[in-house]
Amino acid sequence: MKTSVVGYPRIGENRELKFASEKFFKGQIDEAELDSVSKAIRVHNWLKQLTAGISFISSNDFSYYDNVLDTAVLFNIIPDRYKKLGLSDKETYFALARGYQGENGDVKALAMKKWFNTNYHYLVPEIDDDTRVELVGNKPFDEYLEAKTIGIETRVVITGPFTLLNLIRYTGSKTREDFKDSFIRVYSSFIEKLNTMGVKWVQFDEPYIVKDIDETDKKLFVEIYTKLLSNKNAVKVLLQTYFGDVRDVYKELITLDFDGVGLDFVEGRKTLELVVNEGFPKDKLLFAGLVNGKNIWRNDYVKTIGLIKTIKGSGVDQDNIVINTSCSLLHVPNSLDGEKKLSEDYKKHFAFAAEKLVELSELSTLTANPEYVNDSRYINNQNLLTNRKNILDEAVKKRVEEIKDEDYTRLPVFEEREKVQKAKLNLPAFPTTTIGSFPQTADVKRNRTLFRKGEISKKEYVDFNKKKIAECISLQEEIGLDVLVHGEYERNDMVEYFGEHLSGYVFTENAWVQSYGTRCVKPPIIWGDVSRKDPITVLWSKYAKSCTNKPVKGMLTGPVTILNWSFPREDISIKESTLQIALAIRDEVLDLEANGIDIIQIDEAALREKLPLRKSDWYSEYLDWAIPAFRLVHSGVKPETQIHTHMCYSEFTDIIPAIDAMDADVITFEASRSDLQILDSLKEHNFKTEVGPGVYDIHSPRIPSVEELVAALEKMREKIDDRKLWVNPDCGLKTRGETETKASLINLVAAAKKLNRVNNPQPV
Ligand code: GLN
Ligand code: ZN
């Protein structure tokens, strides 16, 4: 059987692209040097796939920043404000991606959004009524030729027209329908060019069709591809989907003139059913996404070979099945070679991108051998999966089983708690607070690094943090904030820090995954049953509390976010893992409370990340357990303990009732960049939780004036009852400088006081 890779990680095995790009941004290297680093990565990736015997190797899966942006730029979808800067092509590209501030002008970056249900972010292209969509770039062609010169015939990959039309932001009065014809025209030119170059295969990525597709969408999709395919000539076209199944357009997909269709058998719950029930045409290749491109566990060969047998049994010819990755390998780390410290006992269970290539080729060999059950590769794989040790903890399992319905409900009800809390905390109206972290200055990072390397003692490490906490508390007192925080100086990352204090977690050294542009994350791996080893934050919060008479807010990361930013287990459901984490964090909540912390914030920054792509699955597949998991964390506290939560994006307008059902007492969220739209939905749904919509954007060093903060708050008061409004920045301050932080917070407090001249207590 042939094998295929949808796309390969492009940051380099040691994040070479990140470091080279950052140097380029600082003017330390020139374009030529950046190009040579990127070329080395591409060549390395192609040769790696070639050596592994992959039949379909992709090109143009490389990107300096993001593939959606690449496609927009290829087709001249570049707003005038960037063109006017008069920069070189590459500099213009980076201006779109990161903004530009310099001699040639001052423009912000394009908006960035999460790529479907992943933690990768794409840039949202903008199109206005005057945009002339033209094929102006050469990147896909150049990269194809680059591979060709080293003897590799690649399949050229590009974001498909339907997905692009749907992801673009239309800033004028025209809609996607108005741009349909010009898209057909430029994608046709693109195909024509591939033909003149003798390219054999092209891959159109169309993940958008795994979402809910209605009749209008379907019509558009069919029209675009009918027209495009009627002129495709010699080049063969693969329509590639991922992150789910294509139930709404399967019938159309298999009747259109594609030469190959790529389906996701890992995340697509109905994919197999579609192929078996609806059939798959004899004249097309089925690119079967069987090797998980999103998670790091070894493939289960019994399961995969079983699936292939079922596909064959449904009438698809063995020669027409191509074993594929379920999506681009962009979402997993590069190679286990980078893990020097991790024990082989763990490593043998993992497959990063490089190891997935081996799996593809082993699966191809095994499926060609009728005696595969005797093949050592098959036997080893089975032994590995059946003999996984040290992952189970009976006590944890039992604890999850014993969760009772009432454990998901905090009593008394919100309205009663609210009164008790107001009486106890005695805060002024429009209470002011922050989201938790304070600037992570060089000395703070250094303290952690020295401790990690064993160069300072635990006592020295703790003492330094205590000194920072004391300073942070007195700064907040000086500024006049009402609810204080300890500053989070102990944390490198809000998930990794918690993972390090939980048993059941494994950490990697070098397993970086691109999150956006040059930003990479290193998600920890949930290896086994999770429980709390020892108190995680109590020391810090307790110390902070001892420094002041004002209320101090304890600061935790919530179970759904911890899960969503880790590589999850596959032998139990993510629901079960989340409940285990929830119980661990619950212990921490109760410990904080027992130590006199009467306000506790449980951050759920990534709550929305695993929200299913189909609306119809939102509750049954996700929210119905994710929200109760959050409630389990705080249901054990006393009525007078105030529970806060924080969400980074205000993109929850459509799940407001679910957010209210988290049953927190206060929620803070990012609102300053979204024109406060969310306030209308809060009002409309009679949102009961008290709210702190961020009054200024912490992603920028700008200091907001008192007047603009008052104006923002006055707008909020039109929609939110005075009894429920909190005043805070929109996220943590860890990436900000000290000077701008202090100035901004002084203005924030001044603005709150203007609303509250007589200093009334927070109304009941
Ligand atoms: N408490 C965290 C902080 O202040 C929240 C971070 C986040 O929302 N991503 O940094
Ligand atoms: Zn945030």
Side-chain angles (χ1 to χ4, degrees):
M1 265 181 203
K2 291 206 163 119
T3 51
S4 159
V5 172
V6 174
Y8 205 76
R10 65 254 183 157
I11 54 173
E13 293 204 340
N14 294 302
R15 288 179 293 160
E16 292 86 347
L17 184 63
K18 169 195 173 71
F19 300 121
S21 305
E22 285 171 352
K23 279 190 193 149
F24 176 73
F25 300 153
K26 288 188 197 137
Q28 292 165 352
I29 62 170
D30 61 10
E31 276 189 38
E33 200 170 337
L34 177 60
D35 285 346
S36 85
V37 171
S38 74
K39 179 175 177 179
I41 293 173
R42 289 190 295 270
V43 169
H44 172 89
N45 289 353
W46 287 322
L47 291 176
K48 194 118 194 163
Q49 295 175 73
L50 185 76
T51 317
I54 303 301
S55 333
F56 291 91
I57 300 173
S58 299
S59 61
N60 199 37
D61 54 339
F62 174 84
S63 179
Y64 280 101
Y65 212 93
D66 165 51
N67 298 112
V68 175
L69 178 63
D70 294 345
T71 313
V73 168
L74 177 72
F75 293 134
N76 196 34
I77 303 172
I78 305 173
D80 273 342
R81 61 181 186 279
Y82 298 97
K83 289 192 168 170
K84 280 193 193 129
L85 295 170
L87 301 167
S88 75
D89 286 354
K90 186 156 285 105
E91 285 171 330
T92 308
Y93 175 84
F94 284 128
L96 287 151
R98 320 174 52 239
Y100 175 91
Q101 215 165 21
E103 283 167 16
N104 295 37
D106 184 355
V107 282
K108 284 195 204 150
L110 289 175
M112 204 162 58
K113 273 199 180 157
K114 291 217 170 179
W115 180 240
F116 297 85
N117 54 3
T118 73
N119 187 24
Y120 174 76
H121 301 67
Y122 70 96
L123 284 145
V124 186
E126 268 177 37
I127 203 163
D128 65 37
D129 291 353
D130 302 322
T131 306
R132 286 170 49 110
V133 187
E134 303 285 358
L135 174 61
V136 292
N138 281 312
K139 180 178 178 288
F141 316 120
D142 292 346
E143 287 181 19
Y144 170 81
L145 292 176
E146 193 178 73
K148 190 99 183 163
T149 46
I150 55 164
I152 304 175
E153 169 71 33
T154 52
R155 177 182 58 200
V156 179
V157 180
I158 188 166
T159 316
F162 182 74
T163 295
L164 191 60
L165 275 173
N166 281 292
L167 297 183
I168 279 181
R169 219 181 110 210
Y170 298 89
T171 55
S173 58
K174 289 188 183 166
T175 63
R176 61 173 191 178
E177 268 69 20
D178 299 312
F179 282 98
K180 174 194 67 191
D181 291 330
S182 44
F183 268 57
I184 296 172
R185 183 171 45 72
V186 293
Y187 274 86
S188 295
S189 317
F190 172 74
I191 293 178
E192 203 179 305
K193 176 95 193 246
L194 297 180
N195 271 313
T196 59
M197 295 170 67
V199 175
K200 298 204 171 59
W201 275 89
V202 59
Q203 168 184 320
F204 287 106
D205 280 1
E206 291 286 11
Y208 204 86
I209 57 173
V210 310
K211 303 197 19 145
D212 294 307
I213 295 298
D214 65 18
E215 286 306 313
T216 325
D217 296 325
K218 212 193 291 190
K219 221 179 119 230
L220 181 67
F221 180 84
V222 170
E223 183 185 344
I224 291 173
Y225 277 104
T226 307
K227 291 194 174 149
L228 275 182
L229 296 172
S230 69
N231 283 319
K232 74 178 155 96
N233 294 323
V235 67
K236 291 199 159 63
V237 179
L238 163 63
L239 194 282
Q240 181 64 48
T241 68
Y242 36 82
F243 304 147
D245 62 64
V246 293
R247 64 188 87 152
D248 298 332
V249 281
Y250 184 76
K251 282 206 176 78
E252 287 73 16
L253 267 193
I254 57 171
T255 37
L256 284 161
D257 195 19
F258 295 114
D259 302 278
V261 176
L263 303 176
D264 180 348
F265 286 80
V266 174
E267 258 189 288
R269 275 186 295 130
K270 292 202 186 235
T271 304
L272 186 64
E273 191 182 313
L274 287 167
V275 171
V276 170
N277 294 350
E278 316 272 341
F280 190 83
K282 297 242 174 287
D283 62 339
K284 294 187 199 320
L285 298 186
L286 172 58
F287 286 74
L290 294 161
V291 170
N292 195 340
K294 266 192 179 172
N295 210 345
I296 45 76
W297 301 99
R298 287 292 318 267
N299 190 277
D300 180 346
Y301 288 174
V302 174
K303 197 173 152 205
T304 303
I305 294 172
L307 268 166
I308 294 174
K309 281 188 185 157
T310 314
I311 298 170
K312 283 201 283 190
S314 77
V316 187
D317 205 41
Q318 159 127 357
D319 293 340
N320 283 349
I321 304 174
V322 180
I323 309 174
N324 200 7
T325 56
S326 67
C327 60
S328 168
L329 297 178
L330 162 74
H331 308 292
V332 290
N334 240 295
S335 156
L336 276 168
D337 292 348
E339 300 308 316
K340 308 281 185 228
K341 293 194 190 133
L342 199 62
S343 134
E344 197 49 42
D345 292 342
Y346 291 116
K347 280 209 281 197
K348 64 185 181 197
H349 290 278
F350 303 149
F352 295 172
E355 292 75 29
K356 285 178 194 285
L357 299 179
V358 177
E359 293 187 331
L360 286 165
S361 92
E362 288 190 356
L363 281 164
S364 156
T365 316
L366 292 173
T367 47
N369 174 10
E371 304 291 321
Y372 70 87
V373 287
N374 300 321
D375 190 307
S376 62
R377 286 163 285 198
Y378 179 82
I379 297 168
N380 288 344
N381 179 270
Q382 284 321 291
N383 285 341
L384 194 63
L385 288 155
T386 41
N387 298 331
R388 208 176 133 205
K389 289 198 194 80
N390 305 329
I391 60 161
L392 301 180
D393 179 336
E394 281 309 317
V396 172
K397 203 168 156 234
K398 187 151 171 276
R399 218 179 144 194
V400 170
E401 276 164 15
E402 284 173 357
I403 301 172
K404 295 185 289 300
D405 279 353
E406 55 263 38
D407 296 332
Y408 292 111
T409 310
R410 182 175 175 198
L411 288 174
V413 295
F414 172 82
E415 290 73 12
E416 281 176 44
R417 299 188 317 250
E418 196 183 22
K419 282 186 212 134
V420 181
Q421 289 163 17
K422 281 188 171 158
K424 178 178 177 204
L425 294 168
N426 196 22
L427 295 168
F430 313 109
T432 54
T433 190
T434 62
I435 308 304
S437 58
F438 267 69
Q440 289 257 335
T441 43
D443 57 336
V444 172
K445 292 186 189 159
R446 205 176 114 83
N447 182 49
R448 281 199 311 264
T449 311
L450 290 178
F451 180 53
R452 188 162 29 83
K453 291 191 178 154
E455 288 172 27
I456 55 171
S457 68
K458 170 118 197 219
K459 182 168 184 315
E460 287 170 292
Y461 165 76
V462 170
D463 286 348
F464 175 88
N465 276 346
K466 283 188 170 170
K467 183 176 101 7
K468 293 300 288 189
I469 290 171
E471 285 165 15
C472 185
I473 292 288
S474 72
L475 175 71
Q476 294 172 80
E477 284 184 332
E478 183 196 329
I479 293 170
L481 288 155
D482 301 310
V483 173
L484 313 191
V485 295
H486 74 279
E488 300 182 17
Y489 300 111
E490 72 285 3
R491 301 183 196 176
N492 42 346
D493 174 276
M494 64 189 286
V495 169
E496 199 173 51
Y497 180 75
F498 282 80
E500 281 165 358
H501 290 81
L502 299 173
S503 55
Y505 261 92
V506 167
F507 299 90
T508 54
E509 243 176 295
N510 206 21
W512 296 98
V513 177
Q514 189 177 17
S515 172
Y516 61 87
T518 57
R519 167 126 180 103
C520 302
V521 293
K522 197 156 60 66
I525 299 167
I526 305 178
W527 170 260
D529 288 332
V530 176
S531 59
R532 192 180 67 143
K533 287 195 275 204
D534 41 39
I536 307 171
T537 61
V538 174
L539 167 72
W540 313 121
S541 293
K542 217 174 124 179
Y543 180 71
K545 175 103 190 149
S546 75
C547 299
T548 179
N549 291 324
K550 288 201 164 183
V552 169
K553 179 160 73 162
M555 206 56 59
L556 305 175
T557 305
V560 185
T561 297
I562 294 182
L563 181 108
N564 283 350
W565 284 345
S566 307
F567 284 117
R569 278 165 73 177
E570 285 174 353
D571 58 325
I572 62 171
S573 65
I574 54 170
K575 169 183 171 179
E576 192 168 351
S577 272
T578 309
L579 289 176
Q580 294 181 355
I581 301 168
L583 289 170
I585 304 297
R586 178 184 168 100
D587 294 344
E588 183 72 12
V589 167
L590 294 173
D591 258 352
L592 283 173
E593 185 184 58
N595 279 283
I597 307 298
D598 39 23
I599 304 184
I600 300 167
Q601 177 172 311
I602 306 156
D603 290 328
E604 282 293 12
L607 185 97
R608 217 192 139 99
E609 193 156 301
K610 285 204 164 58
L611 193 68
L613 296 173
R614 287 174 192 278
K615 263 195 170 164
S616 44
D617 294 338
W618 279 6
Y619 282 85
S620 59
E621 294 291 317
Y622 186 68
L623 294 171
D624 282 350
W625 59 260
I627 302 297
F630 180 85
R631 289 203 305 259
L632 179 63
V633 173
H634 68 81
S635 64
V637 299
K638 294 183 228 141
E640 57 269 35
T641 300
Q642 190 172 59
I643 298 294
H644 290 218
T645 187
H646 166 74
M647 289 175 62
C648 273
Y649 301 88
S650 54
E651 272 182 36
F652 53 84
T653 317
D654 42 8
I655 50 167
I656 295 277
I659 303 299
D660 221 9
M662 291 166 82
D663 202 24
D665 299 307
V666 181
I667 175 169
T668 58
F669 53 87
E670 178 251 292
S672 53
R673 280 182 301 175
S674 50
D675 296 334
L676 303 173
Q677 288 159 0
I678 191 171
L679 303 182
D680 291 311
S681 334
L682 294 177
K683 191 174 169 72
E684 189 186 317
H685 287 92
N686 252 321
F687 199 69
K688 69 169 203 294
T689 316
E690 295 187 7
V691 288
V695 283
Y696 76 88
D697 177 10
I698 61 92
H699 305 87
S700 146
R702 238 187 114 247
I703 298 163
S705 69
V706 178
E707 294 67 40
E708 73 182 86
L709 293 172
V710 170
L713 286 166
E714 287 299 355
K715 247 173 120 178
M716 291 174 192
R717 290 178 75 185
E718 288 167 18
K719 303 282 154 77
I720 298 168
D721 202 306
D722 283 357
R723 290 173 306 147
K724 292 193 184 283
L725 186 58
W726 285 65
V727 182
N728 45 263
D730 70 354
C731 196
L733 301 162
K734 64 171 172 239
T735 56
R736 290 275 61 88
E738 287 180 305
T739 318
E740 76 237 21
T741 295
K742 183 170 176 186
S744 300
L745 292 176
I746 287 176
N747 288 356
L748 177 141
V749 169
K753 287 203 169 133
K754 286 218 167 170
L755 304 189
N756 181 24
R757 286 196 191 93
V758 276
N759 215 21
N760 289 318
Q762 193 188 15
V764 179

